[in-house]
Amino acid sequence: MPELPEVESVRRRLVPVLEGRRFERVEIADARLTRPFDPDQVARELEGERVVAVDRRGKYLIVRFESGRALLVHLRMTGSFRLRAPADDVLPDDAYRRAVVRLDDGSDAAYRDVRRFGTWQLLEPGELQPYLDARVGPEPLDPAFTAKGLAARLAKRRAPVKAAILDQRTLAGVGNIYADEALWRARIHPLREARSLEPAEIRKLRQAIRDVLLLGIERQGSTLRDYALPDGEAGGMQDEFKVYGRLGEPCDRCGTPIERIVVGGRGTWYCPHCQPSPLERAGRTAS
Ligand SMILES: [Zn+2]
């Protein structure tokens, strides 16, 4: 599932293609993409809109139009874009293509989605900010994302810390992969109660979250199954994983085999030595 680094990598490839261009013709072939709104009606509404910016907030892509409206795209599990430059041939056949935007320079931005959980929402001027504010917490790469702020958001929560950082209202953009990688770097067990973290641990966690997200952007995201960049290229972050998906492999730091548990319904990988469990920690403090 695309997380912040994947969505940011997609955004960076879309910017030079979309910014300044007008949506000339729009076809939306899947009613799930725009529901509860009629896909044809949304397509007609989009035609003629000129793009002033392609932004990102958490895992949302935001196509901002000159009119003040915005198209909010969430890739969910398997959404992705494919681009066709004006000089290229027609788009190749694709059974999973759900929408195509023809731009006024003759290029196409096609949207494909195997599992069809992705969404396109057309928001009217003034609707975007309240919509996002209700759903998404601070951007972890923003300087305003401080250890103090993170501490305040974790303070009263009995939920496992992993579940707390997956909650998009705690912070924006972290999903299963980057949560596991950040907790390993910060040496925090995923099942620790969020409120039990000490100030020094929260500082480490904040730094670890930022570091893994920045590395993920540098590697242009991680390609496990479906994620690809708009030119079809794969990301490289999967080669940097320290714990995610590495059951039984030795920890890079201490050699202990990586273990897997389920936290909040999500597969979770961690090092049982570097990330001591809440029980072990209690034992260490008592003795
Ligand atoms: Zn270890």
Side-chain angles (χ1 to χ4, degrees), residues 165 171 174-188 201 204-213 237 242-243 253 269 275:
I165 60 175
L171 64 143
V174 173
N176 209 34
I177 291 177
Y178 294 89
D180 283 2
E181 294 295 312
L183 289 167
W184 179 84
R185 284 175 181 241
R187 299 175 185 250
I188 296 169
E201 291 179 310
K204 274 199 275 182
L205 179 58
R206 171 190 169 272
Q207 192 60 48
I209 289 169
R210 292 170 59 95
D211 289 348
V212 290
L213 293 175
M237 181 62 185
K242 302 295 188 189
V243 284
R253 246 179 340 227
W269 289 265
Q275 297 164 265

PDB file of all heavy atoms in Angstrom, residues 165 171 174-188 201 204-213 237 242-243 253 269 275:
ATOM      1  N   ILE A 165       0.778   5.224  15.722  1.00  0.00           N
ATOM      2  CA  ILE A 165       1.433   5.965  14.632  1.00  0.00           C
ATOM      3  C   ILE A 165       0.842   5.616  13.258  1.00  0.00           C
ATOM      4  O   ILE A 165       1.054   6.328  12.291  1.00  0.00           O
ATOM      5  CB  ILE A 165       2.980   5.857  14.633  1.00  0.00           C
ATOM      6  CG1 ILE A 165       3.461   4.417  14.498  1.00  0.00           C
ATOM      7  CG2 ILE A 165       3.575   6.505  15.858  1.00  0.00           C
ATOM      8  CD1 ILE A 165       4.972   4.305  14.369  1.00  0.00           C
ATOM      9  N   LEU A 171      -0.177  11.327  13.060  1.00  0.00           N
ATOM     10  CA  LEU A 171       0.694  11.978  12.092  1.00  0.00           C
ATOM     11  C   LEU A 171       0.318  11.424  10.727  1.00  0.00           C
ATOM     12  O   LEU A 171      -0.261  10.352  10.628  1.00  0.00           O
ATOM     13  CB  LEU A 171       2.183  11.764  12.400  1.00  0.00           C
ATOM     14  CG  LEU A 171       2.718  10.347  12.340  1.00  0.00           C
ATOM     15  CD1 LEU A 171       4.121  10.343  11.785  1.00  0.00           C
ATOM     16  CD2 LEU A 171       2.738   9.756  13.732  1.00  0.00           C
ATOM     17  N   VAL A 174       2.244   7.686   7.527  1.00  0.00           N
ATOM     18  CA  VAL A 174       2.948   6.460   7.892  1.00  0.00           C
ATOM     19  C   VAL A 174       1.988   5.277   7.804  1.00  0.00           C
ATOM     20  O   VAL A 174       0.892   5.314   8.336  1.00  0.00           O
ATOM     21  CB  VAL A 174       3.536   6.562   9.310  1.00  0.00           C
ATOM     22  CG1 VAL A 174       4.112   5.221   9.763  1.00  0.00           C
ATOM     23  CG2 VAL A 174       4.621   7.628   9.357  1.00  0.00           C
ATOM     24  N   GLY A 175       2.411   4.219   7.110  1.00  0.00           N
ATOM     25  CA  GLY A 175       1.650   2.985   7.030  1.00  0.00           C
ATOM     26  C   GLY A 175       2.448   1.830   7.600  1.00  0.00           C
ATOM     27  O   GLY A 175       3.428   2.038   8.341  1.00  0.00           O
ATOM     28  N   ASN A 176       2.050   0.613   7.264  1.00  0.00           N
ATOM     29  CA  ASN A 176       2.603  -0.576   7.913  1.00  0.00           C
ATOM     30  C   ASN A 176       4.123  -0.715   7.775  1.00  0.00           C
ATOM     31  O   ASN A 176       4.820  -1.040   8.722  1.00  0.00           O
ATOM     32  CB  ASN A 176       1.910  -1.814   7.340  1.00  0.00           C
ATOM     33  CG  ASN A 176       1.862  -2.950   8.329  1.00  0.00           C
ATOM     34  OD1 ASN A 176       1.738  -2.714   9.533  1.00  0.00           O
ATOM     35  ND2 ASN A 176       2.002  -4.170   7.847  1.00  0.00           N
ATOM     36  N   ILE A 177       4.625  -0.467   6.586  1.00  0.00           N
ATOM     37  CA  ILE A 177       6.054  -0.668   6.337  1.00  0.00           C
ATOM     38  C   ILE A 177       6.903   0.327   7.132  1.00  0.00           C
ATOM     39  O   ILE A 177       7.798  -0.054   7.895  1.00  0.00           O
ATOM     40  CB  ILE A 177       6.367  -0.490   4.833  1.00  0.00           C
ATOM     41  CG1 ILE A 177       5.755  -1.648   4.029  1.00  0.00           C
ATOM     42  CG2 ILE A 177       7.873  -0.377   4.607  1.00  0.00           C
ATOM     43  CD1 ILE A 177       5.941  -1.514   2.523  1.00  0.00           C
ATOM     44  N   TYR A 178       6.597   1.615   6.956  1.00  0.00           N
ATOM     45  CA  TYR A 178       7.457   2.630   7.573  1.00  0.00           C
ATOM     46  C   TYR A 178       7.277   2.660   9.087  1.00  0.00           C
ATOM     47  O   TYR A 178       8.197   3.044   9.813  1.00  0.00           O
ATOM     48  CB  TYR A 178       7.239   3.991   6.905  1.00  0.00           C
ATOM     49  CG  TYR A 178       7.701   3.964   5.452  1.00  0.00           C
ATOM     50  CD1 TYR A 178       6.845   3.586   4.423  1.00  0.00           C
ATOM     51  CD2 TYR A 178       9.034   4.233   5.121  1.00  0.00           C
ATOM     52  CE1 TYR A 178       7.279   3.508   3.098  1.00  0.00           C
ATOM     53  CE2 TYR A 178       9.480   4.159   3.799  1.00  0.00           C
ATOM     54  CZ  TYR A 178       8.596   3.792   2.793  1.00  0.00           C
ATOM     55  OH  TYR A 178       9.030   3.700   1.491  1.00  0.00           O
ATOM     56  N   ALA A 179       6.122   2.217   9.586  1.00  0.00           N
ATOM     57  CA  ALA A 179       5.937   2.114  11.036  1.00  0.00           C
ATOM     58  C   ALA A 179       6.901   1.067  11.609  1.00  0.00           C
ATOM     59  O   ALA A 179       7.607   1.315  12.589  1.00  0.00           O
ATOM     60  CB  ALA A 179       4.495   1.745  11.367  1.00  0.00           C
ATOM     61  N   ASP A 180       6.930  -0.119  10.986  1.00  0.00           N
ATOM     62  CA  ASP A 180       7.834  -1.171  11.484  1.00  0.00           C
ATOM     63  C   ASP A 180       9.292  -0.736  11.408  1.00  0.00           C
ATOM     64  O   ASP A 180      10.079  -0.958  12.333  1.00  0.00           O
ATOM     65  CB  ASP A 180       7.651  -2.460  10.663  1.00  0.00           C
ATOM     66  CG  ASP A 180       6.394  -3.231  11.055  1.00  0.00           C
ATOM     67  OD1 ASP A 180       5.651  -2.756  11.930  1.00  0.00           O
ATOM     68  OD2 ASP A 180       6.160  -4.317  10.479  1.00  0.00           O
ATOM     69  N   GLU A 181       9.649  -0.117  10.291  1.00  0.00           N
ATOM     70  CA  GLU A 181      11.044   0.299  10.110  1.00  0.00           C
ATOM     71  C   GLU A 181      11.434   1.386  11.119  1.00  0.00           C
ATOM     72  O   GLU A 181      12.536   1.368  11.669  1.00  0.00           O
ATOM     73  CB  GLU A 181      11.255   0.801   8.679  1.00  0.00           C
ATOM     74  CG  GLU A 181      11.091  -0.286   7.616  1.00  0.00           C
ATOM     75  CD  GLU A 181      12.158  -1.375   7.722  1.00  0.00           C
ATOM     76  OE1 GLU A 181      13.354  -1.031   7.829  1.00  0.00           O
ATOM     77  OE2 GLU A 181      11.795  -2.568   7.729  1.00  0.00           O
ATOM     78  N   ALA A 182      10.526   2.312  11.387  1.00  0.00           N
ATOM     79  CA  ALA A 182      10.816   3.392  12.334  1.00  0.00           C
ATOM     80  C   ALA A 182      10.948   2.853  13.757  1.00  0.00           C
ATOM     81  O   ALA A 182      11.843   3.247  14.508  1.00  0.00           O
ATOM     82  CB  ALA A 182       9.730   4.461  12.266  1.00  0.00           C
ATOM     83  N   LEU A 183      10.070   1.918  14.136  1.00  0.00           N
ATOM     84  CA  LEU A 183      10.132   1.373  15.498  1.00  0.00           C
ATOM     85  C   LEU A 183      11.408   0.578  15.702  1.00  0.00           C
ATOM     86  O   LEU A 183      12.012   0.605  16.778  1.00  0.00           O
ATOM     87  CB  LEU A 183       8.886   0.516  15.775  1.00  0.00           C
ATOM     88  CG  LEU A 183       7.588   1.332  15.935  1.00  0.00           C
ATOM     89  CD1 LEU A 183       6.360   0.424  15.886  1.00  0.00           C
ATOM     90  CD2 LEU A 183       7.601   2.137  17.243  1.00  0.00           C
ATOM     91  N   TRP A 184      11.862  -0.131  14.677  1.00  0.00           N
ATOM     92  CA  TRP A 184      13.134  -0.860  14.791  1.00  0.00           C
ATOM     93  C   TRP A 184      14.285   0.123  15.014  1.00  0.00           C
ATOM     94  O   TRP A 184      15.113  -0.056  15.885  1.00  0.00           O
ATOM     95  CB  TRP A 184      13.398  -1.703  13.534  1.00  0.00           C
ATOM     96  CG  TRP A 184      14.695  -2.451  13.576  1.00  0.00           C
ATOM     97  CD1 TRP A 184      14.932  -3.670  14.171  1.00  0.00           C
ATOM     98  CD2 TRP A 184      15.951  -2.027  13.029  1.00  0.00           C
ATOM     99  NE1 TRP A 184      16.249  -4.030  14.022  1.00  0.00           N
ATOM    100  CE2 TRP A 184      16.899  -3.036  13.316  1.00  0.00           C
ATOM    101  CE3 TRP A 184      16.371  -0.901  12.316  1.00  0.00           C
ATOM    102  CZ2 TRP A 184      18.243  -2.948  12.918  1.00  0.00           C
ATOM    103  CZ3 TRP A 184      17.696  -0.806  11.926  1.00  0.00           C
ATOM    104  CH2 TRP A 184      18.616  -1.828  12.223  1.00  0.00           C
ATOM    105  N   ARG A 185      14.300   1.191  14.224  1.00  0.00           N
ATOM    106  CA  ARG A 185      15.365   2.186  14.360  1.00  0.00           C
ATOM    107  C   ARG A 185      15.356   2.827  15.741  1.00  0.00           C
ATOM    108  O   ARG A 185      16.404   3.133  16.301  1.00  0.00           O
ATOM    109  CB  ARG A 185      15.217   3.282  13.311  1.00  0.00           C
ATOM    110  CG  ARG A 185      15.668   2.840  11.937  1.00  0.00           C
ATOM    111  CD  ARG A 185      15.385   3.901  10.903  1.00  0.00           C
ATOM    112  NE  ARG A 185      15.809   3.436   9.589  1.00  0.00           N
ATOM    113  CZ  ARG A 185      16.736   4.042   8.851  1.00  0.00           C
ATOM    114  NH1 ARG A 185      17.341   5.128   9.294  1.00  0.00           N
ATOM    115  NH2 ARG A 185      17.066   3.568   7.666  1.00  0.00           N
ATOM    116  N   ALA A 186      14.155   3.040  16.280  1.00  0.00           N
ATOM    117  CA  ALA A 186      14.040   3.698  17.580  1.00  0.00           C
ATOM    118  C   ALA A 186      14.150   2.701  18.738  1.00  0.00           C
ATOM    119  O   ALA A 186      14.110   3.093  19.898  1.00  0.00           O
ATOM    120  CB  ALA A 186      12.720   4.453  17.660  1.00  0.00           C
ATOM    121  N   ARG A 187      14.269   1.413  18.411  1.00  0.00           N
ATOM    122  CA  ARG A 187      14.393   0.325  19.408  1.00  0.00           C
ATOM    123  C   ARG A 187      13.179   0.268  20.337  1.00  0.00           C
ATOM    124  O   ARG A 187      13.309   0.068  21.563  1.00  0.00           O
ATOM    125  CB  ARG A 187      15.674   0.483  20.239  1.00  0.00           C
ATOM    126  CG  ARG A 187      16.943   0.431  19.399  1.00  0.00           C
ATOM    127  CD  ARG A 187      18.160   0.714  20.280  1.00  0.00           C
ATOM    128  NE  ARG A 187      19.375   0.782  19.479  1.00  0.00           N
ATOM    129  CZ  ARG A 187      20.340  -0.141  19.504  1.00  0.00           C
ATOM    130  NH1 ARG A 187      20.234  -1.189  20.293  1.00  0.00           N
ATOM    131  NH2 ARG A 187      21.418  -0.004  18.757  1.00  0.00           N
ATOM    132  N   ILE A 188      12.009   0.442  19.736  1.00  0.00           N
ATOM    133  CA  ILE A 188      10.775   0.412  20.524  1.00  0.00           C
ATOM    134  C   ILE A 188       9.910  -0.759  20.066  1.00  0.00           C
ATOM    135  O   ILE A 188       9.665  -0.921  18.868  1.00  0.00           O
ATOM    136  CB  ILE A 188      10.001   1.741  20.360  1.00  0.00           C
ATOM    137  CG1 ILE A 188      10.829   2.902  20.942  1.00  0.00           C
ATOM    138  CG2 ILE A 188       8.631   1.665  21.036  1.00  0.00           C
ATOM    139  CD1 ILE A 188      10.289   4.273  20.595  1.00  0.00           C
ATOM    140  N   GLU A 201      12.621   8.268  24.284  1.00  0.00           N
ATOM    141  CA  GLU A 201      12.147   7.340  23.260  1.00  0.00           C
ATOM    142  C   GLU A 201      11.322   8.076  22.204  1.00  0.00           C
ATOM    143  O   GLU A 201      11.401   7.761  21.018  1.00  0.00           O
ATOM    144  CB  GLU A 201      11.302   6.233  23.916  1.00  0.00           C
ATOM    145  CG  GLU A 201      12.123   5.290  24.773  1.00  0.00           C
ATOM    146  CD  GLU A 201      11.255   4.211  25.423  1.00  0.00           C
ATOM    147  OE1 GLU A 201      10.226   4.570  26.037  1.00  0.00           O
ATOM    148  OE2 GLU A 201      11.611   3.034  25.312  1.00  0.00           O
ATOM    149  N   LYS A 204      13.622   9.767  19.876  1.00  0.00           N
ATOM    150  CA  LYS A 204      14.209   8.814  18.930  1.00  0.00           C
ATOM    151  C   LYS A 204      13.194   8.378  17.877  1.00  0.00           C
ATOM    152  O   LYS A 204      13.522   8.208  16.701  1.00  0.00           O
ATOM    153  CB  LYS A 204      14.736   7.568  19.673  1.00  0.00           C
ATOM    154  CG  LYS A 204      16.144   7.740  20.205  1.00  0.00           C
ATOM    155  CD  LYS A 204      16.791   6.393  20.492  1.00  0.00           C
ATOM    156  CE  LYS A 204      16.418   5.890  21.871  1.00  0.00           C
ATOM    157  NZ  LYS A 204      17.046   4.608  22.221  1.00  0.00           N
ATOM    158  N   LEU A 205      11.949   8.184  18.334  1.00  0.00           N
ATOM    159  CA  LEU A 205      10.907   7.750  17.404  1.00  0.00           C
ATOM    160  C   LEU A 205      10.630   8.822  16.349  1.00  0.00           C
ATOM    161  O   LEU A 205      10.519   8.526  15.158  1.00  0.00           O
ATOM    162  CB  LEU A 205       9.624   7.422  18.180  1.00  0.00           C
ATOM    163  CG  LEU A 205       8.419   6.968  17.329  1.00  0.00           C
ATOM    164  CD1 LEU A 205       8.763   5.721  16.516  1.00  0.00           C
ATOM    165  CD2 LEU A 205       7.202   6.700  18.230  1.00  0.00           C
ATOM    166  N   ARG A 206      10.546  10.059  16.784  1.00  0.00           N
ATOM    167  CA  ARG A 206      10.317  11.155  15.831  1.00  0.00           C
ATOM    168  C   ARG A 206      11.430  11.178  14.773  1.00  0.00           C
ATOM    169  O   ARG A 206      11.171  11.256  13.576  1.00  0.00           O
ATOM    170  CB  ARG A 206      10.281  12.493  16.559  1.00  0.00           C
ATOM    171  CG  ARG A 206      10.264  13.680  15.603  1.00  0.00           C
ATOM    172  CD  ARG A 206      10.482  15.008  16.328  1.00  0.00           C
ATOM    173  NE  ARG A 206      10.712  16.083  15.365  1.00  0.00           N
ATOM    174  CZ  ARG A 206      11.902  16.404  14.887  1.00  0.00           C
ATOM    175  NH1 ARG A 206      12.994  15.735  15.235  1.00  0.00           N
ATOM    176  NH2 ARG A 206      12.031  17.395  14.011  1.00  0.00           N
ATOM    177  N   GLN A 207      12.660  11.090  15.255  1.00  0.00           N
ATOM    178  CA  GLN A 207      13.790  11.114  14.324  1.00  0.00           C
ATOM    179  C   GLN A 207      13.748   9.910  13.381  1.00  0.00           C
ATOM    180  O   GLN A 207      13.996  10.028  12.180  1.00  0.00           O
ATOM    181  CB  GLN A 207      15.110  11.124  15.121  1.00  0.00           C
ATOM    182  CG  GLN A 207      16.323  11.439  14.263  1.00  0.00           C
ATOM    183  CD  GLN A 207      16.210  12.817  13.593  1.00  0.00           C
ATOM    184  OE1 GLN A 207      15.892  13.815  14.252  1.00  0.00           O
ATOM    185  NE2 GLN A 207      16.424  12.875  12.286  1.00  0.00           N
ATOM    186  N   ALA A 208      13.421   8.735  13.934  1.00  0.00           N
ATOM    187  CA  ALA A 208      13.389   7.506  13.137  1.00  0.00           C
ATOM    188  C   ALA A 208      12.315   7.587  12.062  1.00  0.00           C
ATOM    189  O   ALA A 208      12.530   7.162  10.921  1.00  0.00           O
ATOM    190  CB  ALA A 208      13.146   6.299  14.047  1.00  0.00           C
ATOM    191  N   ILE A 209      11.155   8.132  12.426  1.00  0.00           N
ATOM    192  CA  ILE A 209      10.070   8.280  11.442  1.00  0.00           C
ATOM    193  C   ILE A 209      10.541   9.167  10.303  1.00  0.00           C
ATOM    194  O   ILE A 209      10.399   8.836   9.122  1.00  0.00           O
ATOM    195  CB  ILE A 209       8.802   8.868  12.117  1.00  0.00           C
ATOM    196  CG1 ILE A 209       8.153   7.830  13.037  1.00  0.00           C
ATOM    197  CG2 ILE A 209       7.804   9.350  11.065  1.00  0.00           C
ATOM    198  CD1 ILE A 209       7.054   8.386  13.938  1.00  0.00           C
ATOM    199  N   ARG A 210      11.146  10.293  10.653  1.00  0.00           N
ATOM    200  CA  ARG A 210      11.624  11.215   9.607  1.00  0.00           C
ATOM    201  C   ARG A 210      12.709  10.548   8.751  1.00  0.00           C
ATOM    202  O   ARG A 210      12.702  10.662   7.522  1.00  0.00           O
ATOM    203  CB  ARG A 210      12.156  12.503  10.242  1.00  0.00           C
ATOM    204  CG  ARG A 210      11.042  13.334  10.875  1.00  0.00           C
ATOM    205  CD  ARG A 210      11.600  14.465  11.713  1.00  0.00           C
ATOM    206  NE  ARG A 210      12.432  15.369  10.931  1.00  0.00           N
ATOM    207  CZ  ARG A 210      11.991  16.494  10.371  1.00  0.00           C
ATOM    208  NH1 ARG A 210      10.732  16.857  10.523  1.00  0.00           N
ATOM    209  NH2 ARG A 210      12.783  17.268   9.679  1.00  0.00           N
ATOM    210  N   ASP A 211      13.628   9.846   9.398  1.00  0.00           N
ATOM    211  CA  ASP A 211      14.730   9.216   8.646  1.00  0.00           C
ATOM    212  C   ASP A 211      14.222   8.168   7.658  1.00  0.00           C
ATOM    213  O   ASP A 211      14.671   8.127   6.511  1.00  0.00           O
ATOM    214  CB  ASP A 211      15.727   8.562   9.613  1.00  0.00           C
ATOM    215  CG  ASP A 211      16.536   9.590  10.389  1.00  0.00           C
ATOM    216  OD1 ASP A 211      16.498  10.790  10.022  1.00  0.00           O
ATOM    217  OD2 ASP A 211      17.194   9.207  11.379  1.00  0.00           O
ATOM    218  N   VAL A 212      13.301   7.302   8.092  1.00  0.00           N
ATOM    219  CA  VAL A 212      12.841   6.247   7.161  1.00  0.00           C
ATOM    220  C   VAL A 212      12.005   6.852   6.026  1.00  0.00           C
ATOM    221  O   VAL A 212      12.091   6.390   4.888  1.00  0.00           O
ATOM    222  CB  VAL A 212      12.049   5.102   7.838  1.00  0.00           C
ATOM    223  CG1 VAL A 212      12.950   4.257   8.703  1.00  0.00           C
ATOM    224  CG2 VAL A 212      10.847   5.578   8.604  1.00  0.00           C
ATOM    225  N   LEU A 213      11.237   7.888   6.337  1.00  0.00           N
ATOM    226  CA  LEU A 213      10.436   8.508   5.269  1.00  0.00           C
ATOM    227  C   LEU A 213      11.353   9.188   4.254  1.00  0.00           C
ATOM    228  O   LEU A 213      11.145   9.079   3.037  1.00  0.00           O
ATOM    229  CB  LEU A 213       9.445   9.514   5.861  1.00  0.00           C
ATOM    230  CG  LEU A 213       8.332   8.902   6.722  1.00  0.00           C
ATOM    231  CD1 LEU A 213       7.480  10.005   7.351  1.00  0.00           C
ATOM    232  CD2 LEU A 213       7.449   7.940   5.928  1.00  0.00           C
ATOM    233  N   MET A 237      13.203   1.102  -2.202  1.00  0.00           N
ATOM    234  CA  MET A 237      13.252   1.096  -0.739  1.00  0.00           C
ATOM    235  C   MET A 237      13.186  -0.313  -0.166  1.00  0.00           C
ATOM    236  O   MET A 237      13.687  -0.566   0.930  1.00  0.00           O
ATOM    237  CB  MET A 237      12.119   1.978  -0.178  1.00  0.00           C
ATOM    238  CG  MET A 237      12.066   2.080   1.332  1.00  0.00           C
ATOM    239  SD  MET A 237      13.543   2.837   2.083  1.00  0.00           S
ATOM    240  CE  MET A 237      13.151   2.623   3.835  1.00  0.00           C
ATOM    241  N   LYS A 242      14.856  -3.201   7.158  1.00  0.00           N
ATOM    242  CA  LYS A 242      15.599  -3.844   8.242  1.00  0.00           C
ATOM    243  C   LYS A 242      14.760  -4.937   8.899  1.00  0.00           C
ATOM    244  O   LYS A 242      15.305  -5.905   9.417  1.00  0.00           O
ATOM    245  CB  LYS A 242      16.001  -2.807   9.294  1.00  0.00           C
ATOM    246  CG  LYS A 242      16.840  -1.671   8.743  1.00  0.00           C
ATOM    247  CD  LYS A 242      18.183  -2.166   8.239  1.00  0.00           C
ATOM    248  CE  LYS A 242      19.088  -0.998   7.872  1.00  0.00           C
ATOM    249  NZ  LYS A 242      20.306  -1.451   7.193  1.00  0.00           N
ATOM    250  N   VAL A 243      13.456  -4.753   8.941  1.00  0.00           N
ATOM    251  CA  VAL A 243      12.593  -5.757   9.568  1.00  0.00           C
ATOM    252  C   VAL A 243      11.411  -6.176   8.701  1.00  0.00           C
ATOM    253  O   VAL A 243      11.036  -7.352   8.668  1.00  0.00           O
ATOM    254  CB  VAL A 243      12.051  -5.290  10.953  1.00  0.00           C
ATOM    255  CG1 VAL A 243      13.120  -5.385  12.015  1.00  0.00           C
ATOM    256  CG2 VAL A 243      11.466  -3.879  10.889  1.00  0.00           C
ATOM    257  N   ARG A 253      21.530  -5.284  13.341  1.00  0.00           N
ATOM    258  CA  ARG A 253      22.268  -4.716  14.467  1.00  0.00           C
ATOM    259  C   ARG A 253      22.825  -5.784  15.380  1.00  0.00           C
ATOM    260  O   ARG A 253      23.940  -5.671  15.864  1.00  0.00           O
ATOM    261  CB  ARG A 253      21.322  -3.820  15.284  1.00  0.00           C
ATOM    262  CG  ARG A 253      21.672  -2.377  15.249  1.00  0.00           C
ATOM    263  CD  ARG A 253      20.735  -1.472  16.036  1.00  0.00           C
ATOM    264  NE  ARG A 253      19.433  -1.980  16.348  1.00  0.00           N
ATOM    265  CZ  ARG A 253      18.308  -1.278  16.167  1.00  0.00           C
ATOM    266  NH1 ARG A 253      18.344  -0.056  15.671  1.00  0.00           N
ATOM    267  NH2 ARG A 253      17.150  -1.784  16.496  1.00  0.00           N
ATOM    268  N   TRP A 269       6.735  -6.767  11.988  1.00  0.00           N
ATOM    269  CA  TRP A 269       8.043  -7.401  12.117  1.00  0.00           C
ATOM    270  C   TRP A 269       8.913  -6.565  13.048  1.00  0.00           C
ATOM    271  O   TRP A 269       8.877  -5.323  13.001  1.00  0.00           O
ATOM    272  CB  TRP A 269       8.700  -7.507  10.746  1.00  0.00           C
ATOM    273  CG  TRP A 269       8.040  -8.527   9.861  1.00  0.00           C
ATOM    274  CD1 TRP A 269       8.420  -9.834   9.701  1.00  0.00           C
ATOM    275  CD2 TRP A 269       6.895  -8.350   9.009  1.00  0.00           C
ATOM    276  NE1 TRP A 269       7.572 -10.464   8.811  1.00  0.00           N
ATOM    277  CE2 TRP A 269       6.631  -9.587   8.364  1.00  0.00           C
ATOM    278  CE3 TRP A 269       6.062  -7.263   8.728  1.00  0.00           C
ATOM    279  CZ2 TRP A 269       5.585  -9.764   7.467  1.00  0.00           C
ATOM    280  CZ3 TRP A 269       5.013  -7.422   7.834  1.00  0.00           C
ATOM    281  CH2 TRP A 269       4.784  -8.671   7.211  1.00  0.00           C
ATOM    282  N   GLN A 275      14.305  -4.605  20.427  1.00  0.00           N
ATOM    283  CA  GLN A 275      13.029  -3.959  20.765  1.00  0.00           C
ATOM    284  C   GLN A 275      12.352  -4.776  21.878  1.00  0.00           C
ATOM    285  O   GLN A 275      11.419  -5.540  21.609  1.00  0.00           O
ATOM    286  CB  GLN A 275      12.129  -3.887  19.527  1.00  0.00           C
ATOM    287  CG  GLN A 275      12.698  -3.038  18.389  1.00  0.00           C
ATOM    288  CD  GLN A 275      11.993  -3.282  17.062  1.00  0.00           C
ATOM    289  OE1 GLN A 275      12.444  -4.083  16.259  1.00  0.00           O
ATOM    290  NE2 GLN A 275      10.904  -2.586  16.816  1.00  0.00           N
TER     291      GLN A 275
END
